[in-house]
Amino acid sequence: MTSEAPTVAREADGSLAESAGEGVARSIQHHGKEMSYNNYLDADAAYGCACDYPTTDPTCVIVKHTNPCGAAALDDALESYRCAVRADPVSAFGGIVAFNHEVDAAMAREIREFRSPTDGETRMFYEIVIAPSYSAE
């Protein structure tokens, strides 16, 4: 069984195990500003936690300033994301979102359009979205 290293949406090559524990440092940044030291810490923590769950359980973990803000592992990937955000939407805003499964177009749209549960209007913002892969869409 092969696994891929995390994808920082801001893809990865090799698995975490194959990268000798280098974690997200070996990820490919797709866009955005240069990652800070804290971004690396949070992304590594969030992705590591998400990957502790089996890939049969679509999992989403949100971390901000090395503190978990929300985590959910449900049968439905979109619902896992929504539940993780709802756990603490105030802290999740500006955090790192990690998945243990591929992010497809439907999930990307959900991340972009999801409104904060606190007011129902504000779009959620995240520093990083990290996953083992992304669909081509």
Side-chain angles (χ1 to χ4, degrees):
M1 178 171 118
T2 61
S3 62
E4 298 176 8
T7 304
V8 180
R10 298 220 184 180
E11 200 140 340
D13 50 24
S15 73
L16 288 175
E18 292 166 353
S19 64
E22 295 174 40
V24 299
R26 292 184 45 90
S27 299
I28 298 167
Q29 182 173 330
H30 289 290
H31 62 83
K33 62 184 180 177
E34 184 177 349
M35 287 176 58
S36 71
Y37 177 76
N38 287 335
N39 288 154
Y40 280 105
L41 285 177
D42 289 351
D44 198 54
Y47 188 71
C49 184
C51 290
D52 282 344
Y53 290 84
T55 55
T56 55
D57 298 334
T59 303
C60 176
V61 175
I62 304 172
V63 170
K64 185 173 179 183
H65 304 307
T66 65
N67 290 297
C69 305
L74 303 168
D75 291 335
D76 180 271
L78 289 171
E79 198 55 34
S80 288
Y81 165 71
R82 294 174 189 133
C83 286
V85 174
R86 288 183 187 123
D88 186 354
V90 172
S91 295
F93 193 89
I96 310 299
V97 180
F99 297 96
N100 71 341
H101 57 86
E102 180 176 85
V103 170
D104 60 14
M107 179 65 74
R109 278 190 297 277
E110 182 71 9
I111 293 167
R112 183 188 67 214
E113 298 299 326
F114 194 77
R115 306 299 174 159
S116 173
T118 57
D119 66 10
E121 295 180 16
T122 305
R123 281 188 183 170
M124 293 300 293
F125 162 77
Y126 306 110
E127 284 287 332
I128 296 171
V129 174
I130 185 167
S133 61
Y134 296 94
S135 67
E137 312 168 279

